[in-house]
Amino acid sequence: MGYVILLLVVLFLCLYPYFRCFIKRIALIITIKRVCNKSGFVFAPTHKAWLFGNIKSGKCDFYVVTANKVYRVKLASGMSSMHFYCFKDKNIYLFKSLKWTLISHWTSKTYKLKSKLPFDFDFGTRDEWTGYEKADILLFYPAPGGAFVSENGTDKEIWNGDFTGEALFYTKKGFIEVLTKR
């Protein structure tokens, strides 16, 4: 019986970040849909698994369409506030986790090179939106501990509305503010 409990505890600890991310994503979408309904905007997902969008997949995950603008949104998530991202170009980003700094501090100080597909913000675009102004959004939720852009060999921290090289970086709070100010 003790092994079963231990197994369940280990399983819960391993899956907790993913469960937390899923719950936060549901809360994000409820908030965005509420703002869309209140403001008369259209919320349009682009594929069946859009809620599980991540930085490595290239597909745009959903659109928010206002009277004259289309927000083309790619979802990403920082699984912990101890995760940091640095954007280099369309196929490469750098990732650093400080989560286990006390245990393995020598490995957590450097970024790990990760590859990804270039973002395809035209994926799922409808013909009726031709002529609309477009805004490409990289929406991080849950938000990472920090995000940076590598420019000329130096890392510059970015905030809501800053350009990552492919899209404008936003967290939930920043994106909701953009939508409510329309």
Side-chain angles (χ1 to χ4, degrees):
M1 182 66 171
Y3 291 117
V4 172
I5 292 173
L6 179 63
L7 179 65
L8 290 174
V9 168
V10 168
L11 187 62
F12 173 77
L13 291 175
C14 291
L15 295 178
Y16 174 74
Y18 299 100
F19 179 72
R20 176 183 162 269
C21 180
F22 180 69
I23 296 299
K24 286 187 169 265
R25 283 281 178 88
I26 290 173
L28 168 73
I29 297 309
I30 289 170
T31 304
I32 290 174
K33 284 185 175 183
R34 189 174 293 142
V35 169
C36 288
N37 289 337
K38 184 178 177 182
S39 303
F41 301 157
V42 174
F43 176 86
T46 62
H47 54 92
K48 290 181 182 184
W50 61 271
L51 184 62
F52 302 104
N54 63 57
I55 197 166
K56 288 186 177 188
S57 73
K59 294 178 182 175
C60 178
D61 293 308
F62 65 87
Y63 296 105
V64 174
V65 184
T66 67
N68 60 354
K69 193 170 193 173
V70 177
Y71 293 95
R72 307 182 312 172
V73 182
K74 175 71 193 119
L75 287 171
S77 61
M79 297 300 277
S80 165
S81 62
M82 300 299 280
H83 289 173
F84 296 84
Y85 291 82
C86 183
F87 298 96
K88 288 204 68 81
D89 65 32
K90 293 183 181 206
N91 295 326
I92 297 171
Y93 69 99
L94 303 169
F95 172 78
K96 175 170 46 174
S97 175
L98 298 179
K99 199 168 190 169
W100 305 108
T101 303
L102 295 176
I103 297 170
S104 62
H105 107 41
W106 60 88
T107 62
S108 62
K109 290 190 176 196
T110 59
Y111 281 106
K112 294 177 184 171
L113 192 67
K114 302 267 187 166
S115 62
K116 67 176 192 62
L117 296 172
F119 297 144
D120 179 9
F121 288 105
D122 290 324
F123 180 80
T125 300
R126 298 181 188 166
D127 291 337
E128 64 220 44
W129 301 332
T130 304
Y132 281 56
E133 182 184 348
K134 295 174 179 69
D136 297 339
I137 307 293
L138 177 60
L139 179 56
F140 258 94
Y141 196 69
F148 302 85
V149 171
S150 183
E151 293 178 347
N152 303 324
T154 60
D155 296 344
K156 175 188 156 211
E157 189 165 13
I158 57 175
W159 303 95
N160 286 320
D162 288 341
F163 192 60
T164 66
E166 283 186 277
L168 299 173
F169 174 88
Y170 278 100
T171 61
K172 175 186 175 183
K173 182 179 178 184
F175 187 60
I176 296 300
E177 284 176 7
V178 166
L179 292 179
T180 55
K181 289 181 182 178
R182 298 260 336 137

